Amino acid sequence: QVQLVESGGGSVQAGGSLRLSCAVSVSSANDYCLGWFRQASGKEREWVGSLDSDGRINYANSVKGRFTISIDNAKNTLYLQMSSLKPEDTAMYYCAALTSRAGFCYTDAPMNFGYWGQGTQVTVS
């Protein structure tokens, strides 16, 4: 029902910026919460931020003020603008979606997101 394809990862020096994109393809009329997650090597997948159908956005404390989530509905693309990057931001980044009433993001737990992209690697040195 939902296909997600990330792009835009790469290597960047500390203090630099990078923008990730997630092409969203939806085949049903359900409402969705869209989220960004990341997983560093040897660590659990963690929530970065999410956007609900009403446009409300929330961020993890670790990225608040540095990362910005946005969406271009005309292009069906979700973005994650990352600035002031730190080596600890190095991870595989994933976009994800969950189906919920009115597209409300009621959780940030990865296990509740039923749709995932393949991920894009971000390396900060």
Side-chain angles (χ1 to χ4, degrees):
Q1 293 182 333
V2 181
Q3 290 185 323
L4 305 165
V5 180
E6 302 96 334
S7 61
S11 297
V12 63
Q13 290 188 336
S17 300
L18 209 57
R19 188 179 77 163
L20 306 183
S21 300
C22 175
V24 181
S25 176
V26 177
S27 61
S28 69
N30 291 326
D31 291 319
Y32 296 93
C33 160
L34 298 174
W36 284 101
F37 291 79
R38 66 186 181 185
Q39 187 167 17
S41 180
K43 295 187 177 181
E44 293 187 351
R45 191 166 298 188
E46 66 171 350
W47 173 73
V48 173
S50 55
L51 165 73
D52 70 17
S53 294
D54 286 336
R56 286 181 293 259
I57 302 173
N58 287 291
Y59 299 96
N61 288 333
S62 59
V63 306
K64 197 173 294 183
R66 300 188 299 120
F67 290 12
T68 302
I69 292 173
S70 63
I71 191 165
D72 185 331
N73 288 308
K75 295 182 179 180
N76 294 324
T77 301
L78 179 73
Y79 299 101
L80 180 66
Q81 176 68 49
M82 305 183 292
S83 303
S84 301
L85 283 161
K86 305 174 182 180
E88 51 263 43
D89 294 318
T90 295
M92 184 73 80
Y93 283 72
Y94 300 88
C95 63
L98 67 82
T99 305
S100 68
R101 185 184 299 272
F104 179 65
C105 296
Y106 64 90
T107 179
D108 57 16
M111 63 181 294
N112 294 115
F113 283 74
Y115 305 96
W116 292 87
Q118 82 288 353
T120 185
Q121 178 68 36
V122 172
T123 303
V124 185
S125 59

